[in-house]
Amino acid sequence: MRTAFDEFLTTAKTAATEASTLLRANFQSTYDITQKQEGTLVTEVDLRAEQTIRSIIMEAHPEHAIISEEAERDGSARFTWVVDPLDGTANYVTGFEHYCVSIALLDKGEPIVGVVVHPQREDTYTAVAGGGTRRNGRRISVSSVDSLPESTVLFGISPPIVHDSRLRRLYQHLFPPERSQGLRQLGAGACDLSFVANGTFECFLDKYTSPWDVAAGSLLVKEADGKVTDWNGSTVNFMAEEREVGIIASNGRVHGELRHLYRNEAASLDTN
């Protein structure tokens, strides 16, 4: 018997797949590019992909609200879709294949459906609250690595980091080989989170990201038996404004070690 979650997942997959097809068809082609006020890029392909997603969602669920990167918040309701039609725009523009479509559905602010589609890899990651995470229909889980020195850390750097000495210190602290297997900055948070869910990497950090970048991917990690919190160890606020979401997503086994390291760096700065 179909449930409401099944219906929501079908909508998310349909919308993400349609947008993914559009993005892939226009990859490494010619299109208009605009630089937004904060310095990030938006292309005409972003906007077309977003319109495709919005049309599919609103036709299926006209009573729902939508939050997306390229448009203002649309309405207020119990169910809110959080959409990034093209996560990794800078990668897309330069011809780097690490980009994706990210769609999540929140129920009173909590993710209950998440879909991340990698157009170039033809990978579709899906998660439903309580139902696990799947890659192309096959159940996946986070890695079994249980120490930070054995972990590879993915991280995001957003403009506010220039004013956050504690965060810069943390990243510098993780660089030496005895601290971790290294840092990777790949430029697409939703893609990165899907790799944590799949067990490819152990953790993802970003202190100044946005709901559309991490809502779907966070559910992927959580349902793959990982752990997701903000930097204080609390629940992530997926209804926050742009650049106001802090997230630590991990396989769960190195989560406490990461937070402890950050607290130590913060304490060290406070006493110096």
Side-chain angles (χ1 to χ4, degrees), residues 140-152:
I140 59 173
S141 64
V142 294
S143 81
S144 59
V145 171
D146 59 6
S147 73
L148 197 52
E150 298 176 43
S151 301
T152 303

Side-chain angles (χ1 to χ4, degrees), residues 48-102:
R48 289 166 56 195
E50 176 160 310
Q51 186 55 51
T52 296
I53 293 169
R54 280 179 168 270
S55 296
I56 291 171
I57 290 174
M58 294 314 297
E59 182 177 354
H61 309 289
E63 73 282 8
H64 291 185
I66 299 178
I67 298 173
S68 61
E69 179 173 13
E70 309 306 342
E72 294 183 2
R73 297 185 179 224
D74 181 9
S76 176
R78 170 184 170 180
F79 293 107
T80 301
W81 295 87
V82 184
V83 174
D84 193 342
L86 173 50
D87 184 39
T89 301
N91 292 344
Y92 187 84
V93 167
T94 57
F96 179 34
E97 296 183 350
H98 189 68
Y99 70 91
C100 64
V101 181
S102 175

Side-chain angles (χ1 to χ4, degrees), residues 34 85 149 205 266:
T34 303
L205 312 172

Side-chain angles (χ1 to χ4, degrees), residues 137-252:
R138 185 174 182 177
R139 188 77 176 260
I140 59 173
S141 64
V142 294
S143 81
S144 59
V145 171
D146 59 6
S147 73
L148 197 52
E150 298 176 43
S151 301
T152 303
V153 181
L154 299 172
F155 70 105
I157 289 185
S158 301
I161 194 175
V162 300
H163 305 296
D164 191 333
S165 56
R166 295 176 179 179
L167 187 58
R168 295 199 306 273
R169 281 273 296 266
L170 172 64
Y171 287 160
Q172 292 167 1
H173 198 81
L174 287 169
F175 268 116
E178 68 272 13
R179 294 292 182 181
S180 71
Q181 292 299 305
L183 300 179
R184 305 285 188 274
Q185 185 192 7
L186 301 180
C191 295
D192 295 352
L193 287 163
S194 68
F195 288 155
V196 174
N198 195 43
T200 306
F201 301 107
E202 281 65 53
C203 40
F204 170 78
L205 312 172
D206 199 334
K207 199 175 180 186
Y208 301 105
T209 187
S210 304
W212 43 83
D213 292 321
V214 296
S218 293
L219 186 63
L220 298 181
V221 173
K222 182 178 178 182
E223 289 297 325
D225 299 322
K227 186 171 184 177
V228 179
T229 69
D230 68 10
W231 286 72
N232 295 316
S234 302
T235 301
V236 177
N237 178 12
F238 295 106
M239 296 295 290
E241 299 294 331
E242 186 171 10
R243 301 297 186 197
E244 291 186 1
V245 177
I247 183 173
I248 299 177
S250 76
N251 65 358

